[in-house]
Amino acid sequence: MTTRKTLVVARRELAGYFFSPVAYVIGAAFLAGSAFVFFFGLDLFGIPLFNAVLKRGGEAALRPLFEVMAYIMIFAAPLLTMRLMSEEFSSGTIETLITAPITDTEVVVGKFLGVMGFYGVLLASTLVFLALMAGFGRADPGVAVTGYIGMLLLGAAFLSVGLLASTLTNYQIVAAITGIAILAVFGVLMQLIVRHAVPPWNSVAAKLNAMTYFKDFSRGVLNTRGLVFFLSATALFLFLSVKTLESRRWR
Amino acid sequence: MAMRPSRIAPADLLDRKYANIAAVTSIVLSLLGAAALVTCMIVIEEMSGLAAAYLATWVVLLAIVIAAGAAVLRGQTWGLQFSLIYYIVVAAGSLVLAAWALMPDGAKWWPAQWVPVATVLVPVLCGAGGAAVLFVLASAAGSRLRYASIVAVTIGAAVTLVVVMNLAAQSELKPISMETSGLYGPSGRMERILRSLSTQVRLTCAYTAADKKGKKLSRKHGPRTLEFLEDLAARSDNVVVVDACSDVAKAQVIARLRGQLGDKATKHKEFLGQFVVSGGTVAEGLSKEAQQWESLSEAAYLDLWGMSIAVPRRLRELAEKAQKVRDKVDGELTGSGLPDHAALADEAKGSLEETQRDLEQIARLLRQMAEIPIKVTENHKATLKKTQDCVAAASEMARTIGTPDKPRPSNPSSVLGRFITASRETARRARLTAKALGDIGGVQNADLVRTSTVWQFQLPIDSRLVARTTVDHAYRLLAERISEMVLDAEGLIKAAKKEYQAQAIVQMRPQVVQLARSFRDAHEAAQRAAPSLMTVDEQTRKVFNQAENDLTFKALLKTVEDLLQQAKDLPKLKTSTLTTDITADNIVIIEADKKVQVVEFDAVWPVRRPSLGLAPAAAEDTEQQRAFNGNAGIGSKILSMTSKPFATVLLTYYQLPPQLQRMAQPAEIDPRELSTLRRRLTEANFLVKEWNVAEPMPKVQDDQPQTRVLLVLPPPSPAPMSMGRGQPQFGAEHVSKIRQAVDSGIHAIFLTHFFRPRRMSFFGPPTQPRYGLSEYLEEDWGIEALTGYLVVPAVPDEQPGKFRVSIPRLGYLPLNNFSDHPIGKPLQTQRVLWGVLCPIRAVDSPPKGVSIQPLLSVPAHWHDTWATPRFMALIEQFNASESNQVTPEYASGDMPAPFDVAVAAKRGTNSSATTLPGRTRPTTTQATTAGEAHQVKPARIVVLGMGRSLTDDYLAQPVRIQDLDRTIRDYDPPRANSDVVVNSVYWLIGRENYIAAGPATHFVLIGETVRIVLAIIFVAALPLAVLVAGATVMVVRRR
């Protein structure tokens, strides 16, 4: 695998996002959703899921913002990645890619870096919330740093899952639904099992719950278990994506 | 991956040689495995149904694998595909389980009975791994099947590697907290508490998992509390965390605690068990006795006292109560809750004692009653003779005064004289008769006889008044009435004229006739009652026989006595609220050293703004704002359970006896105003006691911490001249007591603040009260408490160089300019608010050996804050101003910043006062004998000029603050204020390593309008801008 070829693919993908209407819609929705919770919080049938962050007299903490962004990513990541491979399959451009002097790994990693770049831009746009918190309360710099590190790691893992889903099908919408389903298992279902199951199943579920690891970052704690979880999950799903793409050669 | 099965493999898909080897190997391995499983199922007799089903599933699976192996032998590729996946999964699973078992945390997961199973993981891993490789080789080289096989193996290996890596990352490596506020993780003090643990502490988080009405809080609070506990466990091997947020898990915890608490109360359990058995017998026995009594319908004699109704009723009540308590004990012992053995034993004992007392009382009454007929038989004749004599005497008395139909007497004084003589005789006889009637049933039984129905008597006093009384008492009343008439008659003879005497006699005649009639009635009543009291019916006779032979309730009383004896021998159990506390929702249960305590929700999540009792009813449904206080709430419990209190803090004050307090000046700080500070000190593992310096210092018990720290409150100022003359006041002898305590090595914290001027006489102007300990602090420590200076917080005025002071802002100063002294350093980031501060100044040359360090200072660049001795002038300026703010002129005498408001001082062994040959200072020497040798030990003191800001008003109530927009709003109380005192005590006793600060909670300060504007921008405008940008790009690209 050469870095140059990978970066070429990444640049092409990143540029593709800025020319894609879907990416703008997702970006706007991500910002609007985060901002809504930041200012108003979120209730579901009267049950407070997230408390408003920028509320007079509220605790000046960024943690709720990071946590809500993590949940938004369950939906946003597959939507961002759904087109990465599915579009190539459906439009037939995959044949060009396969026959080009570029390995499957370079294709997958390049596309992953491209979507990560776009995700980075999205994440950077949320720094305005940090500025607001600094202005009207007191943002804990440690929590801010670890929170963004956590968001990057979680984003990488979620996007790699989305990428795998995209390599599995020719249809973007199927890829998005598949990705959301996989992420919902690791981000929501496991959370419910943690809350309602009895030991040891709740502990097992906690080990598989991506949000458990992310919570460490969102409260300012750098933990090897979180780092390993997200990095290994990213690597595994990228590996599976490569293998899935490879299988097209000999199937 | 190619998984499309084909019944017959094309010749190029399988390598026949390896396919046969792999198939045979697979069949052999499966047969071995199945044989081992079947053997296990036969050998292990007490296998649970679930385990048997699990093993049976494996046997079935192995049968399928054998079939798959046979298929491979027949050249079918589905067998290869199935077998390959099976062996990859088995190899990966056994590798993960083996790695898990090797992890330090993983060992805990293995139930003891599974350990032998764990040993087979290695052969299973080797066998499955080898079989998987053989099945890969079984596919023809270069075929799609070979590609698919290799991909399957590599994916299996990758997944296994990821799982093992994650397992390894789960344990051992400590997390790094980059948080600076301390909001989420353990505080420094908590870390030290954890480090000092030498015993295992089990923390069970039992927060309500599901939302219930009114319990919406637990949604976020539970996970965060559990997360905090897990952080504690990550930092100490001695901490074990149990997640019991579900009802099932909480029930399991309670069941375990039941066993644990039961072990500590074995005697109580034995007694209660016995009570459950015998208590039922007692209740039954009481019911039977009640039935027997109810059948005594013809026991007329007992009915004289209503016994055949009252006794069975009482027996039934006792039976019901005994049964109720027995059922309660039984329910608690066999139920799923946590029984309070001590309370249950007390309740059982109370019920038994009540039963015993009542049964014994009934038996005693019956014994007494049995004597009555005998005694009445003996006495009735003589007694009735006396009643008859009384009737005769009364008739004579009536005869002397004449009947109402007779004319006025011509010689009234003579008539009255005869009447007096006869009346005195009648009264004497009546008194004797009363005594005889009272004792008719025996002297001991007089009261009992009086309660019998036959002894009741309606005595007509005069024509209108009738008194319900007993026969004997009737005679007493009659005697008294006659005595009154005698007195009247004597008075008439002495003072009244003849006419008036005659008229009085005419008026007395009907009354005397009535009295004579009453004597007859009383005699008849006695005549009627005596036979009733003498005649005992057959049923009563039997009851009395039993009573006389001490057989009444004998068996029942024996059972009750035996149980009570057992109860008396019970060891004393510590009273605890655990059983009730544990029933609450949202609790953390701490177990350490066989002790169990519960941390309630409010201790971990205190309400940030305590209600002042004015909240509307609707507020009940809204979520209260709470702040996380786990470090203090949980840490203090762990500390108190695992170590003894570090020191005794003596709240030192001067207070007169209650009868003199009315005339005394009020204390600057009342000890009762410091309940929040006391609680904080107790949470910090100190024992808080009081010392009124008007009395001797309280002695410290052997089991209490010997290290003492004085927390000295400002003493009351001297009383006004006109009021306090001759009243005891705080003075030299009290100062001397404090000095002696400090000189003996007891450390001290002196709380002081600005003292508002007071009128010291009725007509004089307000003068500055004196701080009673200022001279001591200055002479012994070189510290001046400038209590006459008020630190004035102001804001810059529009006029350059001038500052505005407003009344709302006078009450608080957000000053956290703490020095790097160990007490103050952790508080540098804390939110503190002070009020009515006074400067504390170190003199230029403190006594030798004393070193003074500032703790908290108003910095030099705070030009808008100064200290003024002209408080009254400031008040006058406010009074003259139309608004609530003024711009005072700076005057000479005002103290500009910088100055200190809190200092700490140390006095070493080389102090100039180490051995003092008696003190000669004019104000403090009165209590010290001249020339008395005085040994001074090293000591530490802290002088705080913000004493008023440590009262409940400040620490537990919302603070009303004027914001920059001049709006007055309520803010959270500055809880960190109390940390100054807690940290000071830690420093004074040399436990600096426990000094810490609570979480630096910061709150959002934003106006609602600004917030709405920002929300519109960020929720709507910004995303819309992104969409517009996207649309623009699309349009441009299409062109």
Side-chain angles (χ1 to χ4, degrees):
Chain A
M1 188 180 82
T2 61
T3 314
R4 193 180 58 79
K5 288 178 184 170
T6 308
L7 289 178
V8 168
V9 176
R11 246 193 321 270
R12 180 177 151 253
E13 284 304 325
L14 183 58
Y17 275 108
F18 286 102
F19 297 129
S20 157
V22 177
Y24 283 98
V25 171
I26 294 166
F30 181 80
L31 272 178
S34 303
F36 186 85
V37 175
F38 186 74
F39 284 99
F40 303 112
L42 188 62
D43 285 13
L44 190 66
F45 305 119
I47 301 166
L49 292 182
F50 296 101
N51 289 334
V53 180
L54 199 75
K55 185 176 71 177
R56 181 178 178 74
E59 200 175 83
L62 288 166
R63 185 177 179 177
L65 174 68
F66 288 128
E67 287 182 359
V68 78
M69 288 201 298
Y71 280 102
I72 290 175
M73 278 303 289
I74 290 176
F75 300 94
L79 290 171
L80 282 174
T81 54
M82 63 184 183
R83 58 171 277 277
L84 284 178
M85 298 306 300
S86 302
E87 196 178 42
E88 304 274 8
F89 297 146
S90 59
S91 63
T93 50
I94 189 68
E95 300 304 329
T96 320
L97 262 180
I98 287 174
T99 51
I102 183 168
T103 64
D104 292 344
T105 308
E106 285 164 348
V107 170
V108 167
V109 174
K111 282 181 178 288
F112 172 72
L113 290 179
V115 72
M116 274 301 285
F118 185 75
Y119 173 63
V121 173
L122 267 186
L123 211 53
S125 66
T126 64
L127 287 169
V128 290
F129 300 130
L130 189 64
L132 285 177
M133 185 54 81
F136 294 102
R138 182 183 172 278
D140 188 323
V143 174
V145 169
T146 56
Y148 276 101
I149 291 173
M151 279 306 294
L152 277 174
L153 289 169
L154 175 126
F158 281 17
L159 291 171
S160 65
V161 170
L163 184 54
L164 171 67
S166 183
T167 57
L168 291 173
T169 174
N170 295 355
Y171 305 101
Q172 291 188 32
I173 192 71
V174 175
I177 291 168
T178 308
I180 289 169
I182 296 171
L183 291 177
V185 167
F186 289 101
V188 180
L189 183 65
M190 291 301 160
Q191 184 93 337
L192 291 172
I193 295 173
V194 168
R195 276 195 192 155
H196 300 293
V198 292
W201 305 114
N202 57 355
S203 300
V204 172
K207 302 271 185 284
L208 292 170
N209 182 11
M211 295 307 170
T212 305
Y213 301 100
F214 180 72
K215 274 179 181 170
D216 283 340
F217 293 98
S218 68
R219 65 193 177 103
V221 174
L222 273 184
N223 204 324
T224 46
R225 61 178 192 166
L227 283 170
V228 171
F229 179 83
F230 287 122
L231 291 176
S232 62
T234 308
L236 177 68
F237 284 105
L238 288 180
F239 172 76
L240 293 178
S241 303
V242 171
K243 289 294 158 196
T244 312
L245 190 60
E246 265 180 14
S247 72
R248 287 195 168 253
R249 293 182 190 275
W250 50 262
R251 261 195 293 180
Chain B
M1 188 166 53
M3 288 290 290
R4 285 167 293 182
S6 54
R7 284 189 61 77
I8 303 296
D12 63 335
L13 282 185
L14 291 180
D15 183 317
R16 289 308 317 171
K17 184 181 145 197
Y18 280 108
N20 291 342
I21 293 171
V24 170
T25 308
S26 173
I27 290 168
V28 170
L29 285 174
S30 302
L31 284 171
L32 284 174
L37 292 172
V38 171
T39 309
C40 281
M41 291 169 76
I42 294 166
V43 171
I44 302 171
E45 291 175 359
E46 294 177 0
M47 185 178 285
S48 67
L50 195 67
Y54 178 72
L55 292 185
T57 309
W58 269 103
V59 172
V60 171
L61 190 60
L62 286 170
I64 298 170
V65 174
I66 291 167
V72 173
L73 285 174
R74 288 170 58 201
Q76 293 175 340
T77 52
W78 76 265
L80 184 142
Q81 290 162 344
F82 178 84
S83 301
L84 183 62
I85 290 170
Y86 167 77
Y87 283 112
I88 289 170
V89 170
V90 169
S94 50
L95 184 62
V96 168
L97 286 174
W100 196 353
L102 291 173
M103 302 293 163
D105 287 350
K108 287 186 237 165
W109 285 80
W110 289 91
Q113 66 269 26
W114 282 25
V115 173
V117 182
T119 55
V120 303
L121 284 175
V122 176
V124 169
L125 173 64
C126 296
V133 171
L134 283 173
F135 276 110
V136 171
L137 293 173
S139 57
S143 66
R144 285 187 297 158
L145 193 58
R146 172 62 68 88
Y147 279 122
S149 302
I150 291 171
V151 167
V153 169
T154 50
I155 288 174
V159 170
T160 309
L161 180 68
V162 165
V163 173
V164 171
M165 272 169 59
N166 276 278
L167 279 175
Q170 294 288 332
S171 56
E172 283 308 291
L173 290 173
K174 304 290 181 200
I176 305 160
S177 178
M178 291 178 65
E179 189 203 1
T180 56
S181 60
L183 265 180
Y184 304 118
S187 64
R189 176 170 166 263
M190 189 71 187
E191 300 239 11
R192 282 170 213 117
I193 292 170
L194 294 175
R195 275 202 292 275
S196 67
L197 287 180
S198 57
T199 180
Q200 196 181 62
V201 176
R202 181 189 284 263
L203 303 171
T204 303
C205 184
Y207 272 55
T208 313
D211 277 325
K212 292 176 187 172
K213 196 183 175 189
K215 288 179 187 167
K216 290 174 185 173
L217 302 167
S218 56
R219 265 197 76 78
K220 71 174 182 185
H221 294 88
R224 194 158 150 190
T225 307
L226 185 61
E227 170 189 291
F228 175 73
L229 299 184
E230 279 167 354
D231 271 0
L232 302 187
R235 281 164 173 78
S236 171
D237 293 336
N238 281 322
V239 175
V240 177
V241 173
V242 180
D243 177 2
C245 290
S246 67
D247 291 343
V248 177
K250 192 173 175 184
Q252 284 172 349
V253 172
I254 290 175
R256 187 171 49 72
L257 289 175
R258 277 172 67 85
Q260 208 169 306
L261 293 179
D263 291 346
K264 287 187 351 190
T266 45
K267 290 269 182 195
H268 284 73
K269 268 175 79 177
E270 271 175 34
F271 163 68
L272 291 170
Q274 189 60 44
F275 177 78
V276 170
V277 177
S278 303
T281 316
V282 170
E284 268 178 41
L286 287 165
S287 296
K288 274 185 190 166
E289 289 284 354
Q291 269 179 355
Q292 283 178 10
W293 273 83
E294 280 160 353
S295 67
L296 297 177
S297 54
E298 293 166 19
Y301 192 83
L302 284 172
D303 273 346
L304 296 180
W305 287 271
M307 292 286 273
S308 61
I309 294 171
V311 172
R313 187 192 295 156
R314 183 62 190 146
L315 289 173
R316 287 239 179 260
E317 282 172 7
L318 289 172
E320 271 174 33
K321 194 165 183 184
Q323 189 63 40
K324 204 170 161 187
V325 176
R326 182 242 170 232
D327 291 348
K328 184 183 175 185
V329 171
D330 190 28
E332 295 266 325
L333 290 181
T334 54
S336 58
L338 204 59
D340 185 344
H341 294 102
L344 286 176
D346 283 347
E347 198 168 343
K349 197 176 154 193
S351 158
L352 290 170
E353 281 173 345
E354 189 181 355
T355 306
Q356 186 190 38
R357 190 184 59 235
D358 286 7
L359 292 183
E360 283 180 350
Q361 194 179 349
I362 294 169
R364 194 169 53 247
L365 275 175
L366 290 173
R367 277 197 301 276
Q368 278 183 276
M369 282 177 190
E371 288 176 7
I372 291 172
I374 301 163
K375 293 282 180 189
V376 173
T377 309
E378 284 171 13
N379 300 332
H380 81 282
K381 281 184 181 165
T383 309
L384 289 177
K385 171 78 174 56
K386 286 191 170 77
T387 57
Q388 184 62 52
D389 290 349
C390 279
V391 173
S395 300
E396 175 58 20
M397 178 181 74
R399 195 186 60 75
T400 55
I401 202 162
T403 51
D405 55 339
K406 289 212 169 162
R408 282 185 167 203
S410 55
N411 188 6
S413 58
S414 160
V415 171
L416 284 171
R418 284 198 304 276
F419 173 73
I420 288 168
T421 309
S423 295
R424 279 184 180 149
E425 177 58 19
T426 310
R428 187 185 69 80
R429 282 177 185 276
R431 286 194 192 97
L432 286 173
T433 307
K435 175 79 174 68
L437 282 168
D439 296 344
I440 194 167
V443 178
Q444 306 293 330
N445 304 324
D447 289 339
L448 195 54
V449 170
R450 280 187 199 115
T451 56
S452 70
T453 51
V454 289
W455 212 243
Q456 306 296 315
F457 173 58
Q458 302 272 6
L459 174 68
I461 301 291
D462 55 37
S463 56
R464 283 172 299 175
L465 188 63
V466 178
R468 182 174 173 80
T469 181
T470 57
V471 178
D472 59 327
H473 193 59
Y475 278 89
R476 266 186 218 101
L477 289 174
L478 290 168
E480 280 170 26
R481 181 72 188 115
I482 292 166
S483 298
E484 284 168 15
M485 292 181 88
V486 167
L487 284 174
D488 290 346
E490 285 172 345
L492 287 168
I493 292 170
K494 279 182 192 168
K497 289 180 181 173
K498 193 177 171 183
E499 273 303 301
Y500 189 76
Q501 286 176 347
Q503 192 183 344
I505 286 169
V506 170
Q507 286 172 351
M508 283 167 71
R509 277 172 181 161
Q511 294 174 29
V512 175
V513 168
Q514 177 61 47
L515 275 173
R517 199 176 297 140
S518 294
F519 272 104
R520 269 198 303 279
D521 291 348
H523 166 69
E524 284 166 12
Q527 265 188 324
R528 277 196 307 274
S532 300
L533 287 172
M534 283 189 294
T535 316
V536 179
D537 57 275
E538 197 51 38
Q539 284 182 329
T540 307
R541 172 57 52 207
K542 283 180 189 166
V543 174
F544 282 171
N545 283 344
Q546 273 195 330
E548 282 165 343
N549 294 319
D550 283 340
L551 295 173
T552 312
F553 309 128
K554 191 179 179 189
L556 260 177
L557 279 168
K558 176 79 176 67
T559 313
V560 172
E561 274 162 19
D562 288 349
L563 281 170
L564 279 172
Q565 187 55 46
Q566 207 177 336
K568 210 179 281 178
D569 297 338
L570 290 177
K572 201 164 186 181
L573 281 183
K574 273 189 181 174
T575 50
S576 157
T577 55
L578 178 68
T579 48
T580 45
D581 290 348
I582 213 161
T583 57
D585 289 320
N586 304 324
I587 52 168
V588 174
I589 305 163
I590 304 178
E591 295 164 75
D593 265 349
K594 295 182 180 173
K595 287 180 267 185
V596 185
Q597 286 201 17
V598 168
V599 188
E600 290 170 355
F601 180 67
D602 282 339
V604 180
W605 292 95
V607 178
R608 276 175 41 197
R609 290 178 190 171
S611 164
L612 297 173
L614 302 170
E620 284 173 15
D621 294 333
T622 60
E623 188 177 327
Q624 285 180 299
Q625 290 199 324
R626 291 173 180 266
F628 183 65
N629 190 39
N631 277 301
I634 296 169
S636 56
K637 286 265 182 184
I638 294 177
L639 195 59
S640 64
M641 288 170 77
T642 54
S643 60
K644 289 183 175 173
F646 295 145
T648 303
V649 176
L650 287 170
L651 214 58
T652 307
Y653 56 90
Y654 175 79
Q655 201 169 62
L656 288 169
Q659 64 270 25
L660 297 175
Q661 277 176 18
R662 203 162 53 86
M663 298 295 284
Q665 285 288 82
E668 292 290 344
I669 298 175
D670 193 304
R672 287 170 297 186
E673 291 179 276
L674 298 175
S675 59
T676 311
L677 186 63
R678 278 171 194 244
R679 186 176 50 76
R680 286 283 291 114
L681 285 166
T682 309
E683 284 175 358
N685 208 29
F686 298 112
L687 181 70
V688 182
K689 296 179 79 176
E690 291 188 1
W691 176 29
N692 181 358
V693 287
E695 294 161 11
M697 185 188 280
K699 285 184 181 163
V700 178
Q701 308 294 321
D702 290 342
D703 59 339
Q704 290 174 347
Q706 300 299 309
T707 309
R708 282 171 291 179
V709 173
L710 306 183
L711 182 60
V712 187
L713 310 189
S717 311
M721 294 294 285
S722 53
M723 292 172 70
R725 202 183 302 268
Q727 290 291 333
Q729 294 186 1
F730 182 85
E733 66 167 305
H734 307 111
V735 176
S736 177
K737 279 185 183 178
I738 293 169
R739 169 179 282 133
Q740 281 174 14
V742 177
D743 288 355
S744 68
I746 297 176
H747 309 298
I749 300 170
F750 292 89
L751 298 187
T752 185
H753 57 90
F754 165 70
F755 294 169
R756 195 187 166 107
R758 286 182 184 163
R759 287 186 190 281
M760 302 305 277
S761 67
F762 285 124
F763 303 107
T767 55
Q768 189 61 46
R770 194 173 62 83
Y771 176 46
L773 290 157
S774 62
E775 284 161 358
Y776 162 70
L777 288 174
E778 200 174 333
E779 289 170 9
D780 283 39
W781 293 92
I783 295 170
E784 278 185 273
L786 303 171
T787 55
Y789 281 76
L790 172 69
V791 176
V792 181
V795 290
D797 193 57
E798 286 82 7
Q799 305 171 58
K802 295 216 168 185
F803 301 96
R804 263 197 338 262
V805 180
S806 64
I807 289 177
R809 283 190 72 92
L810 263 180
Y812 55 86
L813 175 66
L815 173 68
N816 65 351
N817 194 50
F818 286 95
S819 69
D820 286 344
H821 189 280
I823 294 172
K825 195 170 183 185
L827 301 171
Q828 287 171 349
T829 57
Q830 296 296 300
R831 174 179 170 268
V832 285
L833 287 175
W834 311 109
V836 284
L837 280 162
C838 76
I840 307 291
R841 188 163 61 189
V843 298
D844 293 337
S845 52
K848 195 182 167 192
V850 173
S851 64
I852 303 167
Q853 287 177 288
L855 287 181
L856 179 61
S857 313
V858 176
H861 63 275
W862 281 33
H863 303 299
D864 52 5
T865 304
W866 68 94
T868 180
R870 299 177 300 112
F871 175 76
M872 291 313 294
L874 195 63
I875 293 297
E876 278 166 20
Q877 208 174 340
F878 274 118
N879 290 339
S881 165
E882 286 182 358
S883 71
N884 66 355
Q885 50 187 347
V886 294
T887 310
E889 292 294 330
Y890 190 87
S892 63
D894 285 354
M895 185 189 288
F899 52 83
D900 301 326
V901 290
V903 298
K906 279 198 277 191
R907 188 169 64 192
T909 46
N910 58 346
S911 159
S912 60
T914 301
T915 304
L916 297 175
R919 296 175 189 276
T920 54
R921 297 172 191 111
T923 53
T924 56
T925 51
Q926 292 162 19
T928 315
T929 314
E932 181 192 341
H934 198 95
Q935 185 68 33
V936 175
K937 289 184 179 171
R940 293 177 173 190
I941 66 161
V942 172
V943 183
L944 304 175
M946 63 285 256
R948 195 69 235 171
S949 322
L950 298 163
T951 59
D952 295 341
D953 286 348
Y954 247 78
L955 300 181
Q957 298 297 335
V959 185
R960 196 147 283 188
I961 290 180
Q962 186 178 34
D963 279 341
L964 293 174
D965 58 0
R966 297 195 180 178
T967 312
I968 294 174
R969 295 191 176 96
D970 283 348
Y971 283 83
D972 286 5
R975 292 194 177 83
N977 279 15
S978 57
D979 286 340
V980 176
V981 175
V982 173
N983 289 1
S984 296
V985 182
Y986 280 133
W987 177 75
L988 290 171
I989 63 167
R991 286 188 183 258
E992 286 94 339
N993 55 346
Y994 281 93
I995 289 177
T1001 312
H1002 297 279
F1003 302 107
V1004 175
L1005 299 173
I1006 187 171
E1008 194 54 23
T1009 316
V1010 178
R1011 196 178 84 92
I1012 295 295
V1013 169
L1014 287 172
I1016 291 167
I1017 292 170
F1018 284 95
V1019 177
L1022 201 62
L1024 202 63
V1026 172
L1027 288 176
V1028 170
T1032 311
V1033 169
M1034 292 305 108
V1035 170
V1036 170
R1037 273 174 61 81
R1038 286 198 178 178
R1039 280 180 186 170

